[in-house]
Amino acid sequence: MNKPWVQVLIPWNRQDEENAAQEASLRDALELALRRKLAEGRVTSSLAVRGVPTLGDFRRVLPAVIMAAVRHYFRYAPACPSLADPAERPRLFAGEAGEGLPGAALRGLGVAGAHPDPREVGPRLGEPLL
């Protein structure tokens, strides 16, 4: 909820008698629970945080709220979380980095990262495997 891209859109049916009777306490509870988000939302769409009364208004306000969420996400979300805590590259065997790939000499690969001569790797077409 504390992320800048989280937005608030409050549907508010003004024709509902129960809603109208409890409006003050409902608004107080909203203000208490979502004070910061309501303040941020007033910049994007005051109708979204005051209460969207009709489905037509909801359809009109929703795209603006979504675009605000997208803008905030691209502005504040980490671009690449993996860069924050670099991890060691996974290895199959201990000591692999300094000694080349295990069994590399048997496969004709030589040192790790070296490209073999295709004529020296494996049997040629038509030759027996063993």
Side-chain angles (χ1 to χ4, degrees), residues 22-64:
Q22 298 297 319
E23 183 172 359
S25 64
L26 288 171
R27 291 211 182 268
D28 288 344
L30 276 170
E31 186 65 33
L32 184 64
L34 301 170
R35 179 170 313 203
R36 198 174 92 214
K37 285 298 166 186
L38 292 174
E40 291 171 2
R42 285 183 184 99
V43 173
T44 304
S45 170
S46 61
L47 182 61
V49 295
R50 270 193 340 255
V52 181
T54 67
L55 186 57
D57 289 333
F58 186 86
R59 286 186 185 132
R60 187 173 49 84
V61 169
L62 185 61

Side-chain angles (χ1 to χ4, degrees), residues 5-37:
W5 53 86
V6 173
Q7 300 292 305
V8 176
L9 181 64
I10 302 169
W12 197 273
N13 185 356
R14 289 182 171 85
Q15 297 173 354
D16 182 354
E17 294 172 11
E18 229 178 299
N19 200 16
Q22 298 297 319
E23 183 172 359
S25 64
L26 288 171
R27 291 211 182 268
D28 288 344
L30 276 170
E31 186 65 33
L32 184 64
L34 301 170
R35 179 170 313 203
R36 198 174 92 214
K37 285 298 166 186

Side-chain angles (χ1 to χ4, degrees), residues 86-111:
E88 185 177 332
R89 192 170 122 192
R91 307 242 181 245
L92 293 176
F93 300 98
E96 178 183 324
E99 302 170 11
L101 294 171
L106 296 175
R107 293 193 308 268
L109 296 177
V111 180

